[in-house]
């Protein structure tokens, strides 16, 4: 299948960028440049926004049943091309093939299914004692997504926004832009009207700023770092655009005293912090353990870590692939050096060479003797690095868990009632108790510096709407 990676997708057409510059797409496992996309311009953004603005009034009048039917055709297209999407994501991100198929392809498709099923069931109005209220589309939504889950982050924004009657301009990551082209092709194949979805590739600094300040953009939905999200949110608020921000995390996992079987608890921890090479905003990067059980827990950590083999992402036996880029490699390496300088003990993993030998591989690492005022315990490393901290009492555990500017994710393992009690004490938008699975029908998002708003579930649909109250019973 031939893809139009050399074009922008604007107003239902594949068209060249107004500029000549290109962005190279690198395979982080081999460092091969295997594709290029346009390094888009502000003029490209303006054309995309104009197309979205022109299409929005007609699109919001399309009945929900027709929007749902169209989205189901998008789902069918993505399912039919799942093998090709998997192969492409392995190359552009470096995540191992089994993990990619399950978490980067099948799971995002399941999210679109969830949004579509929910949208189909939503009432078209709400009756209050003296009024009738409807949820109306926000308008033109700018979606700016990161590189770590190339399809997964996009589908948290674009499908729900479109289902709720909005039009979109997507600026996908410059580092992993290719998967977004599949979504554009899926919308095209499904028969989405021109202008409802537009894709502009390019660098975040210039295109993101233009989207955040464009007078015809009504909402900015951003996923990425807290620093960039705060800046874009402030830029958008200057013209009163609605900010929707899913940002960083430094998430705690509290092991309660007396866990009878540590094996599943450690596996859940390692899957979170080591898979996707630790490049996950919800990664459980701080492990809090009872001081009296430290040696026992460390023994189990060291027993299981060989299961997380680093290597060729095309090998089905590989668990951990490379970091996504040279910049990420250098960043994570610098934190490993910093941890040693701060006095932490590296009991697994090692500081890799200053210049990578081949791909951007870093072995999963575990620090002990970590204090919560160390930078490695406070800053988002975004790599396969786990910090182990100890506590004496449950009150101290809760205090350490909450002693962070972030509040995106958390987990607690122990006797169910005690674990639920601890979960309620942690200031985070999502808290896992024992082996509880992720529920894609539930709202997802963070507290504190981890963001504004929610994605997923009914709230993930309602986020792209405005209330309209019609007072029709003599109130006025």
């Amino acid at each position: 299948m031939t893809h139009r990676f050399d074009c922008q997708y604007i107003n239902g057409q594949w068209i060249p960028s107004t500029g000549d510059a290109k962005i190279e797409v690198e395979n982080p496992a081999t460092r091969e440049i295997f594709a290029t996309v346009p390094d888009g311009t502000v003029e490209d953004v303006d054309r995309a926004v104009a197309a979205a603005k022109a299409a929005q009034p007609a699109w919001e009048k399309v009945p929900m049943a027709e929007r749902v039917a169209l989205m189901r055709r998008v789902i069918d297209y993505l399912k039919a091309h799942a093998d090709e999407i998997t192969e492409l994501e392995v190359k552009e991100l470096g995540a191992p093939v089994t993990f990619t198929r399950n978490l980067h392809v099948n799971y995002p498709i399941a999210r679109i299914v969830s949004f579509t099923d929910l949208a189909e069931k939503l009432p078209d109005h709400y009756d209050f004692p003296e009024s009738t209220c409807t949820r109306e589309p926000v308008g033109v939504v700018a979606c700016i997504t990161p590189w770590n889950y190339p399809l997964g982050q996009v589908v948290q924004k674009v499908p729900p926004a479109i289902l709720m009657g909005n039009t979109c301009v997507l600026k996908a990551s410059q580092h992993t832009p290719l998967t977004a082209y599949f979504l554009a092709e899926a919308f095209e194949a499904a028969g989405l009207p021109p202008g409802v979805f537009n894709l502009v590739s390019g660098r975040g600094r210039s295109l993101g700023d233009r989207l955040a300040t464009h007078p015809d953009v009504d909402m900015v939905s951003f996923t990425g770092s807290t620093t960039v999200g705060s800046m874009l949110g402030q830029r958008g608020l200057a013209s009163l655009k609605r900010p929707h921000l899913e940002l960083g995390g430094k998430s705690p996992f509290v092991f309660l005293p007396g866990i009878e079987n540590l094996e599943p608890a450690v596996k859940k921890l390692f899957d979170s912090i080591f898979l996707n090479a630790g490049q996950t905003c919800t990664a459980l990067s701080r492990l809090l353990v009872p001081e009296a059980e430290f040696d026992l827990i460390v023994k189990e950590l060291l027993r299981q870590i060989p299961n997380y083999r680093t290597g060729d992402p095309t090998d089905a036996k590989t668990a951990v692939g490379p970091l996504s880029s040279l910049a990420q490699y250098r960043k994570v390496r610098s934190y490993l050096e910093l941890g040693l300088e701060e006095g932490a003990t590296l009991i697994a993993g090692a500081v890799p060479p200053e210049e990578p030998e081949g791909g951007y591989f870093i072995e999963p690492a575990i620090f002990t003797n970590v204090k919560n005022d160390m930078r490695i315990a406070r800053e988002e490393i975004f790599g396969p690095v786990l910090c182990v901290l100890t506590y004496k009492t449950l009150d101290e555990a809760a205090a350490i868990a909450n002693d962070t500017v972030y509040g995106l994710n958390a987990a607690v393992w122990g006797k169910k009632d005690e674990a639920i009690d601890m979960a309620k004490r942690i200031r985070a938008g999502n808290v896992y108790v024992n082996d509880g699975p992720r529920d894609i029908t539930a709202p997802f998002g963070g507290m504190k510096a981890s963001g504004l708003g929610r994605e997923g579930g009914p709230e993930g649909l309602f986020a792209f709407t405005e209330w309209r109250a019609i007072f029709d019973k003599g109130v006025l």
Side-chain angles (χ1 to χ4, degrees):
M1 181 177 180
T2 302
H3 303 284
R4 298 301 305 272
F5 294 149
D6 60 334
C7 289
Q8 313 282 31
Y9 184 70
I10 298 174
N11 203 28
Q13 296 182 317
W14 296 98
I15 59 177
S17 170
T18 57
D20 296 326
K22 302 292 182 183
I23 294 174
E24 295 179 333
V25 183
E26 180 185 37
N27 182 330
T30 65
R31 302 174 72 173
E32 169 198 7
I33 304 300
F34 69 96
T36 61
V37 296
D39 185 1
T41 65
V42 168
E43 290 75 22
D44 293 342
V45 169
D46 289 348
R47 290 193 295 176
V49 172
K53 182 181 179 182
Q56 202 279 322
W59 178 245
E60 72 172 282
K61 292 180 175 62
V62 172
M64 177 62 77
E66 292 184 28
R67 295 184 216 152
V68 165
L70 186 145
M71 200 62 68
R72 296 205 190 284
R73 294 196 293 272
V74 170
I75 292 165
D76 290 342
Y77 184 95
L78 295 175
K79 286 181 176 178
H81 293 83
D83 289 341
E84 192 177 355
I85 300 171
T86 298
E87 181 180 356
L88 193 62
E89 282 219 12
V90 170
K91 291 181 72 173
E92 71 172 343
L93 179 62
V97 61
T98 302
F99 181 82
T100 296
R101 181 61 186 256
N102 292 334
L103 272 296
H104 285 287
V105 181
N106 291 344
Y107 192 58
I109 293 173
R111 281 173 162 170
I112 305 176
V113 172
S114 174
F115 280 127
T116 305
D117 290 345
L118 284 168
E120 190 172 34
K121 299 170 185 175
L122 292 178
D124 60 5
H125 69 279
Y126 303 82
D127 289 324
F128 292 90
E130 301 294 342
S131 65
T132 297
C133 296
T134 58
R135 281 193 174 270
E136 305 297 328
V138 173
V140 176
V141 180
C143 302
I144 305 173
T145 57
W147 48 263
N148 60 324
Y149 284 84
L151 182 60
Q153 299 289 0
V154 170
V155 304
Q156 291 285 76
K157 304 178 186 300
V158 173
I162 287 176
L163 281 166
M164 299 311 288
N166 303 278
T167 56
C168 294
V169 177
L170 170 64
K171 211 302 286 181
S173 169
Q174 69 202 52
H175 302 293
T176 54
L178 303 182
T179 311
Y181 281 79
F182 270 98
L183 190 61
E185 291 166 3
F187 279 127
E188 183 179 40
L192 188 72
V196 175
F197 172 78
N198 305 273
L199 170 65
V200 180
S201 72
R203 300 186 190 278
R205 184 178 297 273
S206 58
L207 302 196
D209 185 73
R210 179 56 178 163
L211 285 167
T213 58
H214 198 293
D216 292 330
V217 169
D218 300 293
M219 175 177 175
V220 177
S221 182
F222 170 83
T223 297
S225 73
T226 297
T227 300
V228 176
S230 175
M231 181 272 292
L232 287 175
Q234 291 178 60
R235 296 281 283 164
L237 281 171
S239 53
L240 296 180
K241 301 185 195 314
R242 177 185 295 189
H244 192 247
L245 308 174
E246 199 271 281
L247 308 176
K250 192 69 176 178
S251 302
F253 196 153
V254 180
F255 281 14
L256 296 178
I259 297 174
E260 294 182 359
N261 183 6
L262 285 167
E263 184 173 350
V266 170
K267 183 180 187 304
K268 183 167 187 134
L269 167 70
F270 281 0
D271 284 354
S272 173
I273 184 59
F274 294 147
L275 300 185
N276 213 47
Q279 300 168 135
T280 302
C281 59
T282 56
L284 298 164
S285 55
R286 292 184 297 143
L287 174 63
L288 282 58
V289 304
E291 187 176 274
E293 300 175 24
F294 172 80
D295 291 341
L296 179 66
I297 292 170
V298 165
K299 182 179 179 181
E300 182 63 22
L301 297 179
L302 294 178
R303 188 186 74 82
Q304 287 198 42
I305 199 167
N307 298 333
Y308 293 79
R309 190 186 77 175
T310 302
D312 178 3
T314 65
D315 184 345
K317 296 180 181 179
T318 295
V320 182
L323 278 297
S324 68
S325 66
L326 180 59
Q328 275 299 109
Y329 177 93
R330 288 174 173 167
K331 175 186 175 184
V332 174
R333 182 184 183 278
S334 71
Y335 273 107
L336 291 170
E337 289 186 318
L338 175 63
L340 295 173
E341 292 169 6
E342 290 185 306
T345 302
L346 193 60
I347 64 168
V351 178
E354 187 171 350
E355 289 301 319
E357 299 171 359
Y360 306 124
F361 295 95
I362 292 182
E363 299 281 342
I366 301 175
F367 278 114
T368 58
N369 295 322
V370 178
K371 306 300 181 186
N372 211 43
D373 59 356
M374 293 179 178
R375 285 179 57 195
I376 59 168
R378 304 199 69 77
E379 298 176 10
E380 188 175 35
I381 297 174
F382 225 60
V385 181
L386 174 66
C387 294
V388 182
L389 303 95
T390 61
Y391 65 86
K392 291 184 175 67
T393 67
L394 295 183
D395 285 344
E396 185 183 13
I400 295 171
N402 288 324
D403 183 19
T404 172
V405 299
Y406 298 108
L408 183 57
N409 195 33
V412 184
W413 198 287
K415 295 178 182 178
K416 187 171 182 179
D417 290 347
E418 296 175 3
I420 291 174
D421 286 344
M422 177 60 72
K424 291 177 179 178
R425 299 176 68 178
I426 298 175
R427 292 279 297 164
N430 309 268
V431 187
Y432 291 85
V433 172
N434 295 337
D435 57 355
R438 173 71 179 274
D439 182 355
I440 59 176
T441 66
F444 170 82
M447 301 179 182
K448 301 189 283 188
S450 288
L452 298 171
R454 293 293 183 267
E455 296 181 330
E459 290 298 322
L461 290 162
F462 292 151
F464 297 98
T465 63
E466 297 273 19
W467 278 108
R468 173 183 290 147
I470 301 175
F471 303 106
D472 61 347
K473 296 180 180 178
V475 172
L476 299 180

